Amino acid sequence: MGASADNGLKIVVVGGFGVGKTTLVRSVSEIRPLNTEETMTQAGESVDDVSRVRGKTATTVAFDFGRITLDARNVLYLFGAPGQERFWFLWDRLFSGTLGAVVLVDTRRIGDSWYAIDRLEHHGTPFIVACNDFGGPRHPHAEIRDALDLDPRVPLVDCDARSRESAKQVLISLVQHLKNEYAGQAAAQTAAPRQEFV
């Protein structure tokens, strides 16, 4: 990173176990991502439900980290959160200083995404939802929104986490959402009546 790059912008990618968070960070990062993937063992099978993620041989145990240079002064830092319930305690710390988040969803296991959405709403962190393509049947966005009880203002997009271009479009959608959110907040503050002090 050049000496003139002085604005670090942080985005977190969250979601259930095996939804493709590491893959998304890896596909879009301009640097070789730092990851904390470890080989899954039989001991872990008694703790993590691997029945719905057949073929998964490694898992994130802390976080993934990638970087994208936006221009000479702005750098985007990507953090991929671990998906297993036993590592959820790390999420609150990862959310600290976050500009926004992507909730990555596997529509075959929609319930695995509820906790991520709940935590982001609890923290007041703006987010979008991205449905990762695992080759199964496509579901209408209205059905997915209903299943997630998603606020109508939260963008919902489709993606393939393996594709750099698709992952970039997810991040662009998040940035557009953040721009709209912050513009709306600024307009609301400007429109608020001033209090007179006597």
Side-chain angles (χ1 to χ4, degrees):
M1 182 165 60
S4 62
D6 51 11
N7 294 317
L9 310 169
K10 179 180 176 184
I11 287 177
V12 175
V13 182
V14 294
F17 179 47
V19 296
K21 299 176 298 295
T22 298
T23 302
L24 188 140
V25 172
R26 188 178 291 150
S27 69
V28 78
S29 177
E30 69 187 17
I31 62 169
R32 183 178 177 203
L34 165 71
N35 63 53
T36 56
E37 280 201 312
E38 294 294 335
T39 302
M40 295 177 63
T41 63
Q42 286 184 330
E45 289 182 17
S46 63
V47 180
D48 303 320
D49 181 7
V50 296
S51 62
R52 295 180 292 174
V53 287
R54 296 279 181 222
K56 187 168 174 63
T57 58
T59 187
T60 301
V61 296
F63 61 85
D64 303 304
F65 173 77
R67 187 185 82 197
I68 302 171
T69 300
L70 302 176
D71 56 37
R73 300 185 63 98
N74 298 290
V75 176
L76 182 66
Y77 297 117
L78 296 171
F79 289 83
Q84 304 97 305
E85 186 174 346
R86 60 190 162 125
F87 296 124
W88 285 352
F89 70 93
L90 295 169
W91 287 18
D92 289 343
R93 292 195 183 241
L94 279 177
F95 293 162
S96 177
T98 298
L99 190 61
V102 173
V103 178
L104 203 55
V105 172
D106 178 350
T107 56
R108 301 169 304 175
R109 301 178 288 125
I110 204 89
D112 292 356
S113 307
W114 292 336
Y115 182 78
I117 291 170
D118 178 67
R119 293 315 302 159
L120 290 166
E121 289 176 342
H122 173 77
H123 282 272
T125 304
F127 66 94
I128 68 166
V129 173
C131 297
N132 195 9
D133 181 10
F134 282 92
R138 297 237 179 213
H139 301 280
H141 280 193
E143 283 183 18
I144 297 169
R145 283 186 173 282
D146 189 49
L148 292 172
D149 193 23
L150 203 57
D151 186 301
R153 295 170 298 177
V154 174
L156 176 64
V157 299
D158 295 311
C159 77
D160 181 343
R162 300 166 298 182
S163 161
R164 179 176 177 79
E165 190 55 40
S166 184
K168 279 172 49 178
Q169 289 305 313
V170 168
L171 297 179
I172 289 168
S173 296
L174 175 60
V175 170
Q176 289 171 339
H177 177 58
L178 293 172
K179 182 179 175 186
N180 295 338
E181 283 285 299
Y182 291 122
Q185 289 175 11
Q189 289 175 350
T190 303
R194 289 188 169 183
Q195 291 184 342
E196 298 275 336
F197 292 100
V198 191

